[in-house]
Amino acid sequence: MKRLLASLMLGSAAIAIAATANAETLRWARAGDSLTLDPHAQNEGPTHTLAHQIYEPLLHRDMAGQIVPALATEWAPTEDPSVWRFKLREGVTFHDGAPFTASDVVFSLNRAMMPDSDMKELLASVKEVTAVDDLTVDITTDGPNPILPSNLTNLFIMDEDWSKSNGVEKPQDFEGGEETFAVRNANGTGAYMLAERAPDSKTVLKQNPNYWGKGEFPLEVTEIVFTPVQNAATRVAALLSGEVDFIQDVPVQDLGRVEAADGLVVRTAPQNRTIFFGINVGDADLKSDNVDGKNPFADKRVREAMNMALNRDAIRQVVMRGQSQPTGVIMPPFVNGWTEALDAVPPTDVAKAKELMAEAGYGDGFSVTLNCPNDRYINDEAICQAAVGMLGQIGIKVALDAKPKAQHFPLINNLETDFYMLGWGVPTFDSEYIFNFLVHTKGEKYGSWNGTRYSNPELDKMIEGLASETDLAKRDAMIAEIWSTVQGETIYLPLHHQVLNWGMKTAIDFPVQPEDQPHFKYLTYAK
Amino acid sequence: MLAFVIRRVFQSLIVLLVVGLVAFSLFRFVGDPVENMLGQERTQQDIDRLRTQLGLDQPFPVQYWRFLKNAAEGNFGVSYRQGRPVTDLLIERAPATLELAFVSGVFALVGGIALGIYTAIRKSGWLAQFVMTASLIGVSLPTFLIGILLIWIFAVELGWLPSFGRGETVAIGWWTTGFLTASGLKALILPSITLGLYQMTLIMRLVRSEMLEVLRQDYIRFARARGLSERAVNFGHALKNTLVPVITVTGLQLGSIIAFAIITETVFQWPGVGLLFINAVQFVDIPVMAAYLMLISFMFVAINLIVDLLYVAIDPRLRVDRAAAAK
Amino acid sequence: MNAMRRAWESDLSYSFRHSPITVLAAFMVIVLFAGAILAPLIAPYSPFDPATLNLMNGFTPPMTPNTFTGETFWLGTDDQGRDMFSAILYGMRISLFVGFAAVLLALVLGVVAGLVAGYAGGWVDTIIMRIADVQLTFPSILVAMLIFGIAKGLTPPDMRDQMAIWVLIVSIGLSDWVQFARVVRGATLVERNREYVQAARLIGRSRSAIMFRHVLPNVTSPVLVIATIGLALAIIAEATLSFLGVGAPPTQPSLGTLIRIGQGYLFSGEWWILFFPAVTLLVLALSVNLLGDWLREALNPRLR
Amino acid sequence: MTALVRIAGLVRRFDVSKPWLNRLIERAPRQILTAVADVSLEIPERGVYALVGESGSGKSTIGKIAVGLLAPSEGAVEIGGVDLHRERDPARRTETRAHIQMIFQDPYASLNPRWRVRDIIEEPVRARGDRSEGLAERLLEQVGLSARDADKFPHEFSGGQRQRICVARALASEPRFIVCDEPTSALDVSVQAQVLNLMKDLQERLGLTYLFISHDLSVVRYMADRIGVLYLGRLVEEAPRDALFETPRHPYTRMLLEAAPRIDAFGREVDPPKGEIPDPINPPTGCAYHPRCPFADERCKRERPAMRDAGASRAACHAVEEGRL
Amino acid sequence: MTETPILSLRNLVVEIPTRRDVLRPVDRVSFQIARGEVLGVVGESGAGKSMTGTAVIGLIDPPGHIAGGRVELDGQRIDNLPAEKMRRIRGKRIGMVFQDPLTSLNPLIRIGDQLTETILAHLDVSEAEARRRAVAALEEVGIPAAARRIDSYPHEFSGGMRQRVVIALALAAEPDLVIADEPTTALDVSVQAQIIALLKRLCRERGTAVMLITHDMGVIAEAADRVAVMYAGRLAEIGPVAEVIAHPQHPYTRGLMAATPMATPPGERLNQIPGAMPRLDAIPAGCAFHPRCPVAEAGCRVGDPPRVEECGGRAACWVVAREAGLVRA
């Protein structure tokens, strides 16, 4: 049997290559499907990925993560710092042939600010969008907003007439379960046009023959067949067997196999996302621990001991197979405010950690529950498991409760967990985004993902001040100050920055985009 | 006969009602849909608005009554996750699952009955003994492992068959079929085997033991004593009697094929209702889950109803006008 | 002595001794059961204590020294540096515990329901068998997912790891009782019309005395057969549920959880993480099934 | 002699209708099977009364009602003046029940295969909470088995031996009245003789009263003092043994005696009886036997005959009454 | 004078190997049945009478098999025929009637189809002709409205009618010999008389020989020409029915007759033979009957009793043989 399989294996690679299909068609698979084609109904990665092929924003992040012109060619604040002016691209048409004008931009951004839109938070500061002329648009914000452009990279422009004639002037009420024309049909300006769509099973895109970017982008892919394949092993199998050309999420353990396979390659790049643990530092007593009347996490020495007990390098080496960047801060390197010093990995020192525990009065340890997702981050559950072992070595008995993200995240939002894993991506590439959600005291407008119960009114004031600070140097200084407090208090235990792994045919030349957003118009084939 | 049908339909309705209650009420305990539907930037107002919108703030009986009323009209509400009517989703996905279940069922039935007959007639032959022992391996391996192994061997290592999906499909009205394209047919092979293997072994073992039982009956001895050929005895007499009890169990088995498709569809990324259900569970998409359970129960009940009718058609003893008298 | 000789010469013992494959299966069952029961004594490591694990031992191939720590493990280690051999022993302990407890639950429920339905007859019978019909509508996997849903909603988060095992037991046990109930009911219907039951009724024995003292001992053969096969099914069901992520927690992995973890490494070359638990599960389920098969043949009076 | 067992106007009906829904749709009427119709008889203390009849004649049903396993639809069975189905006093019920026993047809099914012989025999006594040491041994020897057999299981015995165990069990509660339901029909001739002799000896020695149910006229002739012939649930003739065999009155009794094979009638060419037993759910009008009766006339079709004395016998037949026969 | 007997058994031995030892349900049985003769084979359960019939028709369930002796049908040896040839003899030349008419007929197949398939299996006739013959066969066994009832299922017949159908099936291809294995045991007295009469009439009309297996001495007395008494797989006594019943020679036959209530005057105690028929795995050495035999001698325990032919053609018994002066004690 063994010999049979061995000989089968030898023969297999050749067959796999023979099965390669038409080079112009790109067969693409990833774990999850786009939730809807309505570009404003869901603010979610995979949804945006598909939308980016069909629709275009005014400006977007290219394969290197740099903001580059898309439908806008130029943009700058006007004399009034609260008004940004955008020059639009000439000669662009929608897939149905309608011309692209300023009124479409006004219409689309207003649409994205409607109550049913999931993108409205990104435009929270926008007061008004006005068409200056056919190819110029002004966006007026509520006070100066220096980072407005980075909020626009996923805001797609729809055709006003198409939307009106199909009754989709309003975004789909996704939560309310509305089904609109825009959910299954799309009319963008992008490089690819929707040809066929069966949600969760298959989507086919064809190249837009009238795309404005012809000549500017390689556009070597003429057809895209997108299939969500949920099961990781099946997905890898599909790539190995040559049934797909490109998968967006290669499990780290299979990198070697994919890499070793003839005709396949894995491309890797750091992702704009950091994985860390949050701890309940604020409550007087913990529900999930075995210490009565006290919160051991409230003691900074305990938190420092925990930080020291985590062997991030071992996690990188074994759990992540080298595919992670250990860090000491909950901020990816792409983000404004990041410094090498902040990123320095805290040294692992079990002996010292034990001393700290003893000093804090927990020489005999204590027990606590760690909540962990099992379907959200790369090897999330395995990381938590490893952490359980490492914390066990300094006497903290951790019970691991791993569950799907759908049940994990509410625990954080509802303050039902004392110790949890979270990963945070920063679409604006700015520290303010992190502070707003993770550091500010939890309340109506701020701190909705701050599960640590950490509350520092002074810090809150500083965070709130960032939004309207137009002096970038001063703003950066504020950011640095906030970071030093956050780091000093050790309210989060940072682990690592995630690394993206795209698996593809060797013949495909395609760099990894740090936001995990492949734009296929950039894709080229090796000649 | 009519009374029999009416009674079975009535019982089926009760079953469906209970299943509906179970389906609807139990899933209320799994997570909170509102939390999952809103993104990371959401406010308390969003939550409240959505709860009201979904009717989740109403008391339980009200929600159940509304569910039942809607279900009776074929309206299972709208998927929280996909934002589309669940009925549409099910109709869209059903062909994939039904085709898979159909092929698996045929595979299980034909293979099971053929092997069952073979192993019963050649009771002590080495091949029959081997098949019997091998069939135990079939029931000792979890389905997901079989699927993974098949993918590994036939898709990854040999590259003969696709590892996932339905291949090319052809739409005939709202029904999409994989039967009409080469890739569609190829794509059916591995999932069907994975799904049908367990049922096939069960049916095979059942057919074998029933057939052995039948072959011991007096009327078989009498048929032999009348000089009928082995062929006539085995296939003309024994097989028919074997199938009577087999039909019932087979009905149950085929019903569970649709349910067990969950695992196969997960492993093979088969775009059917099982995959829809698993996705729904992960996103706590209550309408989809509830509708799925109702659908499964409905199919199960329908299959059993058909089986019961088939039973009556095959066994003349059940067609007697008078109830079996007490001696 | 005499009793032992008689037992040795009994039909059961004879058919056992003359079926080499059954003897082999029994041997494997004994070895595996012993391994599971004696795991704390046999296992070189304690895989359920995360504090003793060294992550750097992760992914050590069998019988090969680890590149970082230089430690060697018979069957290698998994992604957490857990010794596979110890993990399999402990995992089997959980799988077998779940299997036995689930079968026991199903058996008690099913036998009582079957006895009552069969002996009482009438509307009691109708209600019990209708419930069984509803139960059949839900295959075990769906039942388990439902029960998991409730349990998750009802138990405090820090209790869930301990609850998981019991939830597994309840969900598998609940979905398997129908088998027992149907067979016991069928057997009871036959037995209750037997004349020894009438003789017992004649002297005024109570219904429960007749059901449990007279009828029950006479339906043990089919119950034993179903229980054996049910054990194999329960072990597989546990594995499937753990594969779907609703089973034993990864910190205390059962065979199924080990396979779930291992199947992620099917293509990556760490074959031992999947292979050894899968083979153990296969051998375990196969051996139990073979024993069940043999029991079925040996205890079936019609086949003698 | 006083009657120990008094059966009066006994009727037992079984509802064999289809479920109500079928009846509703198919407009089918209720179907009632009258297994026992208006049977009255008395068994004196120490007497052996035999019921004979073909299948469906209701003889076993009468036996089961007599011991209390079935309730009568109408009429009553009194044993020693106590009607088990109507008696309210639990003490009298228990006492009466102890005085009644039954021996069944199938010696294989009537012993619990999982119980030891000792437990089987002593159960009636233990169930009442009485002490039972040595009882099984004593009874086993009384029925011709060995005291050592008490620790064996039923499957270690032959059919005849099992029936002896059944007899021993029946005797354990020191009964006065035993219903024997075809006790030897499953046994071979040589063994049947052993069991019949044993039962007869015990009856005489212990002063037992038997209701002996059988389809075999030759066995009945050996055992009984008085014989009742049943046809479709009704007594058609009742007579002392010799009277029945020497001067059968009812045409059915005659037919039975005629049709039964005889050991001395080599090569006898009988004209076989006509017809088969009718459907008990829709029995013929008038005398139920009239369709098969060579003496039947119009009156027989219309009018059901009552039991009347005819010599030493009683018979329910118009022809006998009218002297046509 | 000697016409070839239609059936001749010579030292027929049937063995069933079990794990402990080899059982012999039929042990060196020899007898003959002449054309048109009715031979009653009588014995208690376990005597081997059914197994003898099954052996003749070649339907012993494996692992049982004919281990010795020969079976001749009309002078032609049939116990060693290949399966296909034997199949053609079954039904065609030897018919069989089983005890229970309820289980002898396939409940799922119309009786007409069961009849025509039997006819078509043996006779080269068209289907229409086979059906016509089937109706005729049913009429002959006394099924009223046969042409209509032919499409009925077995459960639509009463027990007696069903046994008539079984007889029609057994006789459908006009066999030379019918083996009737307890054909009336499951029937009521009145129906039993009908069936015996029917069987006798049909066989006489066609000159069919009958091997009538039963435990009922009365049935034998009325129906058989000769009777063979079996005990523990062996032939104990054989002879004309009147002689055997009126003047049994073998101590077992004598005991059996005396134990029959029919043969015992009312009020007299039944004679009882102590003990019971031995089980197949515990057949005593010597004469199998000796432990129960009232006249057994020391020699009975040792040697096999002399064969029937050696004892004057009736009983196989040392005592009988000695008393007849055929052997010395």
Side-chain angles (χ1 to χ4, degrees), chain B residues 1-8 10 318-327, chain D residues 14 16-23 25-26 31 33 56 60 279-282:
Chain B
M1 186 70 190
L2 180 62
F4 174 77
V5 175
I6 291 177
R7 193 173 310 113
R8 293 294 293 143
F10 181 70
L318 299 176
R319 273 176 271 161
V320 216
D321 285 336
R322 192 196 311 148
K327 260 203 211 172
Chain D
F14 293 100
V16 292
S17 313
K18 287 187 176 183
W20 67 269
L21 193 66
N22 292 61
R23 296 204 306 274
I25 292 169
E26 292 156 20
Q31 290 189 306
L33 185 151
S60 286
D279 180 359
I281 293 171
N282 299 305

Side-chain angles (χ1 to χ4, degrees), chain D residues 184-196:
Chain D
T184 60
S185 67
L187 302 178
D188 278 320
V189 180
S190 65
V191 178
Q192 165 175 290
Q194 299 167 7
V195 173
L196 289 178

Side-chain angles (χ1 to χ4, degrees), chain A residues 29-257:
Chain A
R30 71 183 300 176
D33 195 6
S34 156
L35 298 175
T36 170
L37 288 182
D38 189 317
H40 305 137
Q42 280 289 290
N43 182 9
E44 194 239 15
T47 306
H48 287 332
T49 306
L50 187 63
H52 268 296
Q53 319 306 326
I54 303 167
Y55 288 102
E56 286 174 304
L58 290 175
L59 41 100
H60 79 154
R61 292 191 188 272
D62 67 5
M63 295 306 283
Q66 298 302 310
I67 294 186
V68 295
L71 288 176
T73 49
E74 291 167 40
W75 58 90
T78 55
E79 311 82 68
D80 178 355
S82 309
V83 178
W84 280 78
R85 173 155 295 176
F86 292 80
K87 284 273 179 214
L88 303 184
R89 194 176 293 279
E90 277 186 68
V92 177
T93 57
F94 285 93
H95 294 159
D96 65 356
F100 162 72
T101 63
S103 68
D104 295 321
V105 176
V106 175
F107 166 78
S108 297
L109 293 183
N110 281 322
R111 188 178 188 269
M113 287 188 284
M114 289 182 181
D116 282 336
S117 164
D118 202 37
M119 309 298 294
K120 57 184 184 289
E121 282 86 354
L122 286 161
L123 300 176
S125 63
V126 174
K127 266 169 71 182
E128 199 186 6
V129 184
T130 47
V132 179
D133 60 45
D134 255 11
L135 292 174
T136 313
V137 171
D138 277 356
I139 299 179
T140 312
T141 54
D142 196 0
N145 186 347
I147 55 163
L148 179 71
S150 56
N151 281 1
L152 296 176
T153 55
N154 289 327
L155 278 157
F156 300 100
I157 306 303
M158 300 171 75
D159 182 19
E160 185 177 6
D161 295 336
W162 181 84
S163 302
K164 285 187 171 151
S165 58
N166 289 305
V168 289
E169 303 97 316
K170 285 199 307 183
Q172 169 202 16
D173 177 4
F174 190 85
E175 287 81 15
E178 194 185 6
E179 162 92 355
T180 70
F181 188 74
V183 172
R184 305 255 254 157
N185 299 278
N187 180 33
T189 57
Y192 296 93
M193 304 170 15
L194 184 69
E196 184 188 328
R197 166 125 178 107
D200 279 344
S201 110
K202 190 179 178 189
T203 303
V204 180
L205 304 176
K206 292 252 189 307
Q207 205 182 85
N208 175 4
N210 304 316
Y211 187 52
W212 59 265
K214 281 208 157 177
E216 199 167 323
F217 303 103
L219 288 171
E220 288 185 17
V221 175
T222 53
E223 186 190 46
I224 300 169
V225 178
F226 169 55
T227 325
V229 181
Q230 207 172 355
N231 185 292
T234 312
R235 199 161 59 239
V236 174
L239 183 67
L240 290 173
S241 65
E243 289 163 72
V244 298
D245 308 317
F246 172 74
I247 65 175
Q248 223 169 321
D249 20 33
V250 185
V252 288
Q253 62 268 21
D254 293 325
L255 294 174
R257 174 69 194 259

Side-chain angles (χ1 to χ4, degrees), chain A residues 5 8-9 11-12 15 35 42-43 115-116 118 120-121 172-179 183-184 199-202 227-231 234 237-238 240-241 243-244 257 375 404-407 410 413-414 424 433 437 444 448-449, chain B residues 30-31 35-46 49-50 53-54 78-85 92-93 151-153 155-164 167-168 266-269 271 275 278-279 281-284:
Chain A
L5 282 178
L8 293 180
M9 267 187 243
S12 67
I15 298 168
L35 298 175
Q42 280 289 290
N43 182 9
D116 282 336
D118 202 37
K120 57 184 184 289
E121 282 86 354
Q172 169 202 16
D173 177 4
F174 190 85
E175 287 81 15
E178 194 185 6
E179 162 92 355
V183 172
R184 305 255 254 157
D200 279 344
S201 110
K202 190 179 178 189
T227 325
V229 181
Q230 207 172 355
N231 185 292
T234 312
L240 290 173
S241 65
E243 289 163 72
V244 298
R257 174 69 194 259
D375 59 351
K405 59 185 175 199
Q407 284 137 51
N413 297 140
N414 299 334
W424 201 252
Y433 188 84
F437 283 102
E444 272 290 295
S448 56
W449 285 85
Chain B
V30 189
E35 293 288 346
N36 308 301
M37 285 157 48
L38 297 176
Q40 58 185 27
E41 300 93 353
R42 87 271 185 275
T43 65
Q44 192 58 42
Q45 285 104 312
D46 288 341
R49 180 175 57 84
L50 194 54
Q53 208 169 2
L54 297 175
V78 171
S79 158
Y80 294 161
R81 187 168 87 89
Q82 297 213 20
R84 298 178 51 215
E92 194 174 283
R93 296 300 198 89
I151 292 179
W152 178 49
I153 296 171
V156 177
E157 300 301 343
L158 296 175
W160 290 349
L161 295 166
S163 61
F164 77 98
E168 292 291 320
T266 311
V267 174
F268 286 93
Q269 197 63 36
L275 197 61
I278 279 280
N279 289 340
V281 168
Q282 263 154 23
F283 286 85
V284 199

Side-chain angles (χ1 to χ4, degrees), chain C residues 102-117:
Chain C
V103 167
L104 191 69
L105 175 69
L107 188 146
V108 171
L109 281 178
V111 166
V112 171
L115 271 179
V116 171

Side-chain angles (χ1 to χ4, degrees), chain A residues 413-491:
Chain A
N413 297 140
N414 299 334
L415 300 180
E416 282 167 358
T417 169
D418 296 323
F419 188 18
Y420 57 90
M421 174 183 257
L422 187 61
W424 201 252
V426 189
T428 61
F429 287 54
D430 188 86
S431 290
E432 183 192 346
Y433 188 84
I434 302 175
F435 298 149
N436 281 351
F437 283 102
L438 301 178
V439 180
H440 193 287
T441 306
K442 191 172 165 76
E444 272 290 295
K445 285 175 84 176
Y446 292 97
S448 56
W449 285 85
N450 180 359
T452 65
R453 288 78 152 174
Y454 179 80
S455 173
N456 184 338
E458 278 173 47
L459 212 58
D460 289 352
K461 216 173 279 165
M462 264 208 278
I463 292 170
E464 286 163 35
L466 286 175
S468 48
E469 182 53 63
T470 44
D471 180 342
L472 288 183
K474 204 170 157 202
R475 190 169 176 277
D476 286 350
M478 285 165 73
I479 287 173
E481 201 183 331
I482 298 170
W483 273 121
S484 85
T485 313
V486 171
Q487 293 298 88
E489 292 282 345
T490 325
I491 56 174

Side-chain angles (χ1 to χ4, degrees), chain C:
Chain C
M1 201 55 223
N2 209 349
M4 276 179 68
R5 154 112 36 86
R6 275 236 295 277
W8 176 253
E9 283 172 358
S10 71
D11 289 346
L12 213 60
S13 146
Y14 179 89
S15 73
F16 178 76
R17 280 179 282 130
H18 285 72
S19 165
I21 206 158
T22 310
V23 176
L24 184 70
F27 175 74
M28 286 316 300
V29 164
I30 291 169
V31 167
L32 293 173
F33 278 33
I37 293 165
L38 304 177
L41 303 177
I42 301 173
Y45 299 86
S46 76
F48 286 4
D49 182 1
T52 65
L53 301 180
N54 182 356
L55 189 57
M56 296 312 287
N57 277 330
F59 300 116
T60 314
M63 306 300 293
T64 314
N66 180 282
T67 37
F68 303 109
T69 63
E71 287 185 63
T72 310
F73 303 87
W74 288 359
L75 305 183
T77 62
D78 69 359
D79 59 333
Q80 294 290 326
R82 230 179 337 226
D83 173 44
M84 285 310 295
F85 178 64
S86 308
I88 287 172
L89 288 181
Y90 275 86
M92 208 157 57
R93 216 172 141 85
I94 292 201
S95 293
L96 282 175
F97 178 70
V98 169
F100 270 107
V103 167
L104 191 69
L105 175 69
L107 188 146
V108 171
L109 281 178
V111 166
V112 171
L115 271 179
V116 171
Y119 194 78
W123 59 269
V124 176
D125 183 25
T126 311
I127 289 180
I128 291 178
M129 293 329 282
R130 282 300 144 261
I131 295 175
D133 278 358
V134 175
Q135 175 78 71
L136 278 178
T137 315
F138 290 91
S140 52
I141 292 187
L142 286 183
V143 173
M145 287 186 145
L146 289 178
I147 292 178
F148 253 87
I150 314 174
K152 267 187 174 163
L154 297 183
T155 52
D158 51 320
M159 294 289 291
R160 280 179 194 152
D161 268 13
Q162 293 95 306
M163 291 299 297
I165 299 290
W166 297 102
V167 169
L168 271 177
I169 291 168
V170 170
S171 40
I172 298 172
L174 265 191
S175 47
D176 282 353
W177 69 271
V178 178
Q179 282 277 2
F180 288 95
R182 293 196 145 194
V183 167
V184 170
R185 174 178 173 270
T188 305
L189 283 177
V190 173
E191 295 294 327
R192 80 162 176 184
N193 288 325
R194 292 232 158 172
E195 289 161 350
Y196 72 86
V197 172
Q198 298 196 8
R201 283 176 57 204
L202 193 67
I203 56 170
R205 304 297 322 249
S206 68
R207 282 183 164 211
S208 61
I210 291 175
M211 273 196 285
F212 291 100
R213 302 250 298 119
H214 279 280
V215 177
L216 185 56
N218 285 295
V219 299
T220 46
S221 294
V223 166
L224 190 64
V225 172
I226 302 179
T228 314
I229 293 164
L231 177 63
L233 281 177
I235 292 169
I236 293 172
E238 186 277 326
T240 304
L241 287 170
S242 293
F243 173 76
L244 291 175
V246 288
T251 44
Q252 296 180 13
S254 66
L255 281 182
T257 312
L258 286 174
I259 291 173
R260 170 166 69 98
I261 297 169
Q263 68 106 17
Y265 304 101
L266 183 62
F267 306 122
S268 65
E270 282 102 1
W271 53 271
W272 60 92
I273 306 179
L274 175 65
F275 181 77
F276 293 120
V279 167
T280 309
L281 177 71
L282 175 63
V283 171
L284 183 61
L286 186 61
S287 303
V288 174
N289 264 328
L290 279 167
L291 279 185
D293 223 33
W294 160 75
L295 260 185
R296 192 199 335 242
E297 302 267 325
L299 290 180
N300 187 344
R302 293 172 307 193
L303 295 181
R304 283 229 190 102

